[in-house]
Structure formats: structure tokens, C-alpha cells
Amino acid sequence: QVQVVESGGGLVQAGGSLRLSCTFSGLSFGDHAMAWFRDAPGKGREAVSCINYNSERTVYGDFVKGRFAISRDNAKSKLDLQMNTLKPEDTAMYYCAARRYIYCSGFDETGDMDYWGKGIQVTISS
């Protein structure tokens, strides 16, 4: 019953920006920590970022730190990922995800997420 509406993504030149968004329905959005993951050929699953239930803590993978920003709007059940200074190695399928836990602790170690978006393709050209 949980549904995710995704937007953003596409083809952007290196150095450009994109904003990815996921709008969730069918769950209590404010009771879930939210995260972004990505899959790139030959790399497997990478944890990109996480934000706790009240936006008081954010976590970023080293490969995106300083370039990406995660945010959420609990009133709109919306999760965003602002991606700046994009690099060709950022090319991947990006997935938003929710966990039935309010904190981000261990999200990148376990990947224990309960609800997933279908994926947003991001392609960065050089």
C-alpha cells in the first residue's frame, strides 16, 4: 500500500546540478528515517545519504560529502536530494528508501530499509 512518486533525474553535464524527489504515501512519513542509495555498474549498492525523522541529523557518504544535500518536508511527505557539482562517476540509478526506525544509525551498514522507490536514473556526461 505504500506508494512512492519519484521525480528528477535525467542527463546533465559534469559540473551541473539535479534535484531528486520522492513523495511517499501510505505510511507515517514522520516516523521514518529516510535515505538515498545508488547502484552503478560494477559498484554495487552504495549508501548516499540519510536523514533522521526530524531532520536533526544527516549522514553522507564520503564520495558525495560537500556536493549533495538531503532534506525532507514531513508536512508533504517529501524527500529531496540536491546534487551539485556532479561528476561522471555519479552516474547511477538512485533509490529513495524509508526505514521503520526514526534514526539513521547503521543504515549504511545494514541497508535495513523497509520501503523503496523504483529508481531514478541519473546520467552525467563528461
Side-chain angles (χ1 to χ4, degrees):
Q1 290 184 270
V2 174
Q3 293 185 306
V4 187
V5 178
E6 301 159 290
S7 63
L11 175 64
V12 178
Q13 291 185 344
S17 298
L18 284 172
R19 181 184 290 271
L20 309 182
S21 297
C22 290
T23 300
F24 288 76
S25 61
L27 81 169
S28 181
F29 185 84
D31 292 334
H32 295 72
M34 306 295 300
W36 291 93
F37 297 83
R38 70 185 187 186
D39 289 346
K43 292 184 178 180
R45 179 63 50 85
E46 295 180 310
V48 176
S49 185
C50 183
I51 184 167
N52 74 1
Y53 75 110
N54 62 0
S55 300
E56 291 295 326
R57 183 170 186 252
T58 57
V59 181
Y60 296 94
D62 288 340
F63 46 88
V64 302
K65 192 173 298 181
R67 299 188 296 121
F68 292 8
I70 189 171
S71 61
R72 66 189 294 162
D73 185 341
N74 286 355
K76 298 180 179 179
S77 297
K78 186 166 180 282
L79 173 73
D80 289 344
L81 183 69
Q82 178 65 45
M83 305 187 296
N84 300 320
T85 319
L86 285 161
K87 304 175 181 179
E89 51 263 44
D90 294 319
T91 295
M93 186 73 72
Y94 284 73
Y95 299 90
C96 57
R99 67 180 349 195
R100 294 190 64 189
Y101 187 60
I102 61 175
Y103 301 120
C104 290
S105 179
F107 92 99
D108 56 341
E109 298 173 350
T110 65
D112 186 14
M113 311 302 291
D114 295 287
Y115 310 105
W116 292 82
K118 294 180 179 179
I120 307 170
Q121 181 64 50
V122 171
T123 303
I124 312 302
S125 61
S126 60

